[in-house]
Amino acid sequence: QVQLQESGPGLVKPSETLSLTCTVYGGSISSSYWSWIRQSPGKGLEWIGYMYYSGSANYNPSLKSRVTISLDTSKTQFSLTLTSVTAADTAVYYCARGGSRWYEGRFYYFFYMDVWGKGTTVTVSS
Amino acid sequence: EIGLTQSPGTLSLSPGERATLSCRASQSVSSSDLAWYQQKPGQAPRLLIYGASNRATGISDRFSGSGSGTDFTLTISRLEPEDLAVYYCQQYGTSPFTFGPGTKVDLK
């Protein structure tokens, strides 16, 4: 059974870079979409972006200029980097795996999230 | 960007009652690419429904989803105390993928 766990600093100073890692246990990241989502009281759940196992990425336009998601298949990890953070980036950050279905001899991959990490709280403050 | 609205904001029901939650999109959701998640306090969201009407692995058959286009519904047939949570819809057919603001289900 696949499990995801986020890790990284809980406190980041304004204008600095937020870096988080998601470790995948019990499975490979050489398939599926791997996403980051955040949740703050003011904005609810917000999709940040995904990386496909092949290396293609897609980001929310509201964050695109500041976000990078990368995969490390050798470590079964994927990472989030968010630059120039402000107080508005304070949130609980979740990593998640995209869903998949086996149909007629192959897997199809989807953008709904079927496995989530427990989340990590990041506060932006000096 | 496709906006999602959910109603009601809060649903107060008694155990055994039927809960009907609504999710409306600002434009048609392609291929019924709509999911429902349950989130309990202090926990991550959990996938309940994908493709508008398909139950995720291990989800009770008390949960069912329906709808297409811009109007979707999550139904909990017989409410149990463990169902107290916030329920979110998400469209994943058009990037950026978006979530609704949630419906809180609590006990009357």
Side-chain angles (χ1 to χ4, degrees):
Chain A
Q1 181 178 351
V2 174
Q3 295 184 343
L4 280 59
Q5 184 172 338
E6 305 88 352
S7 59
L11 182 64
V12 182
K13 290 182 168 54
S15 80
E16 295 191 345
T17 296
L18 180 162
S19 295
L20 297 175
T21 297
C22 181
T23 302
V24 179
Y25 297 99
S28 166
I29 61 171
S30 298
S31 63
S32 299
Y33 293 98
W34 301 94
S35 291
W36 287 95
I37 303 100
R38 68 183 184 180
Q39 185 173 31
S40 60
K43 292 196 72 175
L45 287 163
E46 181 179 29
W47 172 73
I48 297 170
Y50 71 71
M51 172 69 78
Y52 192 39
Y53 75 97
S54 64
S56 63
N58 186 20
Y59 303 123
N60 193 319
S62 67
L63 298 168
K64 188 173 184 177
S65 63
R66 301 192 290 130
V67 171
T68 303
I69 297 175
S70 59
L71 263 61
D72 186 337
T73 55
S74 66
K75 295 183 180 178
T76 62
Q77 293 178 334
F78 62 107
S79 301
L80 169 71
T81 301
L82 182 66
T83 62
S84 304
V85 297
T86 69
D89 296 310
T90 293
V92 177
Y93 285 76
Y94 296 100
C95 59
R97 184 187 74 175
S100 62
R101 294 179 69 181
W102 178 261
Y103 182 73
E104 293 187 345
R106 57 157 288 187
F107 273 109
Y108 289 82
Y109 300 108
F110 301 92
F111 300 118
Y112 62 84
M113 294 85 172
D114 68 346
V115 180
W116 294 62
K118 292 183 178 181
T120 187
T121 299
V122 177
T123 302
V124 179
S125 176
S126 55
Chain B
E1 175 173 317
I2 296 179
L4 298 177
T5 56
Q6 292 186 244
S7 60
T10 301
L11 196 53
S12 297
L13 296 168
S14 300
E17 288 192 298
R18 181 187 190 92
T20 302
L21 287 67
S22 175
C23 176
R24 178 162 290 178
S26 60
Q27 54 188 280
S28 184
V29 176
S30 64
S31 305
S32 293
D33 286 338
L34 187 113
W36 290 92
Y37 301 87
Q38 177 194 64
Q39 186 177 34
K40 297 180 179 180
Q43 297 185 16
R46 179 176 72 144
L47 177 69
L48 297 176
I49 301 287
Y50 63 92
S53 61
N54 301 287
R55 267 189 302 276
T57 303
I59 300 303
S60 168
D61 60 5
R62 295 185 298 104
F63 293 90
S64 62
S66 63
S68 64
T70 61
D71 290 300
F72 299 87
T73 301
L74 174 70
T75 302
I76 311 173
S77 60
R78 299 174 306 280
L79 200 63
E80 295 187 1
E82 67 200 44
D83 300 332
L84 304 184
V86 180
Y87 293 83
Y88 296 96
C89 56
Q90 178 218 1
Q91 69 80 20
Y92 55 92
T94 302
S95 180
F97 311 134
T98 49
F99 293 85
T103 290
K104 182 179 181 180
V105 175
D106 61 20
L107 284 180
K108 189 183 293 183

